[in-house]
Amino acid sequence: MKKTLALALAVVMSLGLLAGCGGGNNSTGGGSSAGGSQPSGGSSVTASIPDAPEGGGTVGVCIYKFDDAFMTTYRNALTEILKGKGYQVTTVDGNNDQSKQNEQINTFITQGVDALIINPCMTSAADSIIATVKAANIPTVLINREPTADQMAAYDRLVYVGCDAAQSGTFQGELILETPNKGDINGDGKVSYIMIQGDPENIDAQLRTEYSVGALKDAGIEVEQLDLQRGDWDREKGQTICANDLAQFGDQIEVVFCNNDDMAIGALQSIQAAGRKVNEDIYLVGVDALDAALNEVMNGNMTGTVLNDAVGQATEAVNQMELLLGGATYSAGNQSVYVDYVKVTPDNASEFVK
Ligand code: BGC
């Protein structure tokens, strides 16, 4: 279906407006959800609208694995928003297997979907995913696992929607700095911590690990890493790593940094099993603001967490998909759109319960 010229002009004008109110606070050129879309300045938006569906269309959604607590919330939000707007949505589970996901992407292309929303299984597969969707000329929104700007530059009908992972790490560090003893529970002049990392292939895991501790160092605090282990975003792994570390390092551990809440909830089980008390003799922080974690923050069993806004990101992903369907193209360096993280403490946790 071809849209009318009038609609094309309206799209161009609205994109021009959006570009005008962009100007986010990040280096990759995206913005916050409040005015976050940053198509390439309106000027490169094509006036002829390629097959934009009227009153809905078909969307293929690829999730890296359904069995991920945060991505379950995200996936549900995405499906609800898309269906609410009249799109026909098919959502598939990549089972954390990139070759399986590649087949799913090819199947969606063969079926002739109007747009794709993809949460890659492996960030390292970004080049081949981008080459595939480009060859098929399918408007594509990547979510949750951010490729590099150079990788995205290969295709101008592609945009990434996510968050600035460094910000969530900084917020975790600040949560520790805001405690009465700034994390130095035993008063020995340094903060001794363990780091339970997500999948280290993922930029979220890398930057949260770096920036959480970086915030302490920037505040002039001496830090000591007792252990760093990959927990792959998984609750059970978080529990096992924390149990082993508590057995090995005992009271030396003052802070447990977890790259996400699911691992923090696992860690909490081990902390409680070891007879330790969060906020009294150990601190514990996560990221995501899963409902279970918000409850623990309110109960004093987690020091804090960071809202990873699944609904905000799903809303922005659909918004960007519609801009692409309307003919928007993106210039190199302007292909990341960020939604802000929010620091969550016992004071504001109740605001985020769904
Ligand atoms: C979330 C994790 C999730 C991961 C999946 C991260 O942004 O914080 O909970 O497991 O994305 O890629």
Side-chain angles (χ1 to χ4, degrees), residues 193-239:
Y193 68 90
I194 64 167
M195 179 70 67
I196 306 182
Q197 215 182 12
D199 175 353
E201 204 249 359
N202 187 320
I203 191 94
D204 286 5
Q206 295 164 19
L207 294 180
R208 287 174 192 167
T209 298
E210 181 186 342
Y211 279 79
S212 52
V213 177
L216 296 182
K217 289 186 197 158
D218 287 350
I221 308 263
E222 193 187 327
V223 293
E224 175 190 34
Q225 179 177 284
L226 297 168
D227 195 19
L228 179 154
Q229 294 221 27
R230 62 183 287 171
D232 294 322
W233 309 116
D234 180 80
R235 183 177 300 199
E236 273 178 38
K237 289 187 187 173
Q239 182 177 6

Side-chain angles (χ1 to χ4, degrees), residues 185-349:
I185 293 173
N186 58 22
D188 66 352
K190 62 178 191 265
V191 172
S192 305
Y193 68 90
I194 64 167
M195 179 70 67
I196 306 182
Q197 215 182 12
D199 175 353
E201 204 249 359
N202 187 320
I203 191 94
D204 286 5
Q206 295 164 19
L207 294 180
R208 287 174 192 167
T209 298
E210 181 186 342
Y211 279 79
S212 52
V213 177
L216 296 182
K217 289 186 197 158
D218 287 350
I221 308 263
E222 193 187 327
V223 293
E224 175 190 34
Q225 179 177 284
L226 297 168
D227 195 19
L228 179 154
Q229 294 221 27
R230 62 183 287 171
D232 294 322
W233 309 116
D234 180 80
R235 183 177 300 199
E236 273 178 38
K237 289 187 187 173
Q239 182 177 6
T240 307
I241 292 167
C242 192
N244 290 340
D245 282 347
L246 284 164
Q248 188 179 347
F249 301 107
D251 290 349
Q252 283 181 73
I253 305 176
E254 295 169 301
V255 176
V256 178
F257 283 112
C258 296
N259 281 174
N260 78 347
D261 279 348
D262 220 23
M263 296 189 295
I265 289 162
L268 175 61
Q269 287 161 7
S270 298
I271 288 169
Q272 290 175 328
R276 302 282 293 271
K277 182 87 188 73
V278 172
N279 291 339
E280 287 180 20
D281 58 31
I282 195 164
Y283 294 119
L284 172 66
V285 288
V287 175
D288 284 338
L290 297 179
D291 280 346
L294 291 171
N295 280 332
E296 300 300 1
V297 172
M298 288 187 285
N299 293 338
N301 293 322
M302 274 178 67
T303 308
T305 183
V306 178
L307 173 71
N308 191 2
D309 186 355
V311 175
Q313 289 172 76
T315 305
E316 191 56 37
V318 175
N319 178 30
Q320 294 299 324
M321 181 198 79
E322 292 189 319
L323 291 172
L324 285 166
L325 285 171
T329 56
Y330 293 75
S331 59
N334 285 311
Q335 288 174 278
S336 283
V337 178
Y338 292 147
V339 172
D340 273 336
Y341 284 108
V342 183
K343 211 178 339 177
V344 181
T345 64
D347 291 339
N348 66 353

Side-chain angles (χ1 to χ4, degrees), residues 100-185:
K100 179 173 182 179
Q101 187 176 69
N102 292 344
E103 284 170 25
Q104 293 169 331
I105 293 170
N106 283 324
T107 303
F108 277 139
I109 290 172
T110 309
Q111 289 168 348
V113 293
D114 293 305
L116 283 166
I117 298 179
I118 303 173
N119 165 212
C121 292
M122 297 184 71
T123 316
S124 56
D127 282 330
S128 77
I129 292 173
I130 293 169
T132 302
V133 296
K134 181 183 180 183
N137 195 27
I138 305 261
T140 301
V141 183
L142 298 178
I143 56 168
N144 178 253
R145 291 174 172 197
E146 186 173 13
T148 64
D150 281 351
Q151 289 175 312
M152 290 191 276
Y155 183 36
D156 62 2
R157 299 185 78 199
L158 176 123
V159 63
Y160 171 77
V161 173
C163 300
D164 172 12
Q167 186 187 39
S168 55
T170 300
F171 284 167
Q172 284 190 301
E174 287 176 6
L175 286 165
I176 300 303
L177 288 171
E178 286 160 15
T179 62
N181 41 28
K182 299 187 173 156
D184 185 11
I185 293 173

